[in-house]
Structures are given as C-alpha cells and as structure tokens.
Amino acid sequence: MQYTTEVDKMACVAKGCDHGPAPIPEEGEWVQAREIKDISGLTHGIGWCAPQQGACKLTLNVKDGIIQEALVETVGCSGMTHSAAMASEILPGKTILEALNTDLVCDAINVAMRELFLQIAYGRTQSAFSEGGLPIGAGLEDLGKGLRSQVGTMYGTLAKGTRYLEMAEGYVTKIALDDNGEVIGYQFCNMGKMMDAIQKGVDPKEAYQKNIGTYGRFDEAARLINPRHE
C-alpha cells in the first residue's frame, strides 16, 4: 500500500463505531451483505441494445452468490436468439460479480445482467420475503404451456387498422370483426400444447384442431379475417 507524503504525515484519528452495511431482505431473512457469497435471490430484469432494436428479459436464481438458474428471453432481433443460447450456458455457475463482468455476447443481455445485479445487490429481488427463497426451476414458471415465452405481437396502420398476431394464449389465426369492422375477438392456436401433443405421437392435424381456441365474442363475428394475409 502506498501513501502520499501528505497522508503519511497526518496524525492518526481513531475510527468510531461501525455497524457494517445496512441489512437487506434476502429469502425471508435480513442479511448484512459483505461478500458475494452473502447474496441470494431470484429476480428478473430487462435489457436493450444500443440501437434499441431488440430487448432481453433475464431471470436469475442466485444461491450463496452463485447463479444456479438462468432464463434468457429475447425479442426483436434474430441474432440475439443465438446470443441467448450462449448466455444460458455461460451464466450458471458464475458468481453475480463474474457474470456482471462477462461478455454475454449480446448488448441487450449484458444490460439486463447489469439491471439484475443492481436489484440483487440491493435486496430488491422477487423472492426477498420468501422464506428459503424459490427452488431451482422456479424460473420456468414464467413460461406458458409447452415452455413458450409470454409473447404479444401486434401490428397496426392508420390505413388498415390493427392486426393481432400473437397473444399469451397463442398464435392468432383469425380476427373476428363486427358489423362496424371493429375487433370483437380472435381465434388462436396454442403452439406449446400442440407441439407437446405432436411429440407424444398425435397426428399433427388432430393436434392442431384440438388446440384451437377462441377469445371474446368470436362466434358473433360478422366477418373473419386472417391477420397475416388479409
């Protein structure tokens, strides 16, 4: 340790009381976090790339400072999906400090990691007041049937109005319009359930038909349109 001449010549003043860091809530306990291993919790965060072309939702489950579980969800950029694949392999096993200083391939995923680090380090996790925290695997609970992300995709123009393309329920196949041409419902296919059925040996056409559903006043439609082709 090197000291400047000015500091070296200073008189020594004794340090008063030191109560340490303020306790933060972690998995149902109040913890004075002094080292990385003192940090635990499950939480989510959002990141975006510099051109704001795409975004990432990152979920981490941290136990004793080490990432045990990572869920990486991306939208808006095709290359980001490949980056997410690598990040899901890179993150588990790292401490949150290592992960903060790791190149997670995609700018949006790196930003999401930064935002999560702030939440976790300050005790603002989703599991802050859950005794014992959440088990490894809890991150998957954010996904829908068939382990598909909750995605909403909508498109609209002034000239032709709105088009519902994908809802939480699934891939939108038809939009129901009333006599005024206003949307009153839609038909969808739950892709997760359909693919599960196909993998279990169900004929694809039958699996498709069994996983078609409707929302709203679909049966009262004056007209049905395919949102991707009409």
Side-chain angles (χ1 to χ4, degrees):
M1 189 76 69
Q2 291 184 326
Y3 297 93
T4 64
T5 302
E6 290 79 5
V7 172
D8 193 45
K9 292 181 178 179
M10 287 180 179
C12 187
V13 177
K15 186 176 182 179
C17 60
D18 181 6
H19 299 298
I24 59 175
E26 289 186 26
E27 301 190 338
E29 298 181 354
W30 290 95
V31 177
Q32 286 185 295
R34 292 181 171 85
E35 302 178 33
I36 291 296
K37 66 180 179 61
D38 296 329
I39 300 293
S40 294
L42 179 144
T43 198
H44 319 275
I46 301 295
W48 53 95
C49 58
Q52 299 187 32
Q53 176 183 345
C56 168
K57 176 193 172 190
L58 181 62
T59 303
L60 297 181
N61 198 347
V62 179
K63 302 289 186 183
D64 301 323
I66 298 174
I67 296 170
Q68 300 291 336
E69 175 185 19
L71 172 63
V72 189
E73 300 173 86
T74 65
V75 65
C77 174
S78 57
M80 195 188 299
T81 62
H82 294 79
S83 300
M86 289 182 271
S88 69
E89 185 175 356
I90 292 169
L91 285 168
K94 286 187 176 291
T95 68
I96 57 171
L97 185 59
E98 286 178 311
L100 182 67
N101 291 286
T102 295
D103 181 8
L104 298 175
V105 189
C106 166
D107 198 20
I109 305 175
N110 285 318
V111 172
M113 183 61 229
R114 180 194 71 194
E115 297 302 307
L116 254 71
F117 182 88
L118 293 174
Q119 292 183 43
I120 295 168
Y122 284 117
R124 271 64 172 180
T125 59
Q126 188 184 36
S127 59
F129 299 101
S130 300
E131 187 175 354
L134 295 174
I136 311 305
L140 292 179
E141 294 177 5
D142 280 353
L143 301 179
K145 297 293 184 181
L147 300 184
R148 284 174 57 85
S149 296
Q150 302 296 311
V151 176
T153 308
M154 313 297 157
Y155 178 73
T157 60
L158 179 60
K160 298 296 183 178
T162 186
R163 295 295 185 276
Y164 298 176
L165 301 174
E166 185 135 2
M167 292 280 194
E169 297 92 345
Y171 178 98
V172 178
T173 55
K174 293 179 182 178
I175 298 177
L177 307 179
D178 64 11
D179 291 327
N180 297 322
E182 297 179 5
V183 178
I184 59 172
Y186 52 88
Q187 181 187 77
F188 61 87
C189 175
N190 189 307
M191 300 296 288
K193 288 183 178 180
M194 184 184 78
M195 292 305 298
D196 279 348
I198 292 173
Q199 290 176 38
K200 291 176 182 176
V202 178
D203 179 77
K205 185 174 181 180
E206 180 184 352
Y208 172 76
Q209 293 297 334
K210 284 186 174 181
N211 288 288
I212 290 289
T214 62
Y215 184 86
R217 296 183 289 122
F218 185 82
D219 294 334
E220 300 175 23
R223 182 185 177 191
L224 300 175
I225 65 170
N226 184 320
R228 290 171 173 78
H229 302 293
E230 294 180 72

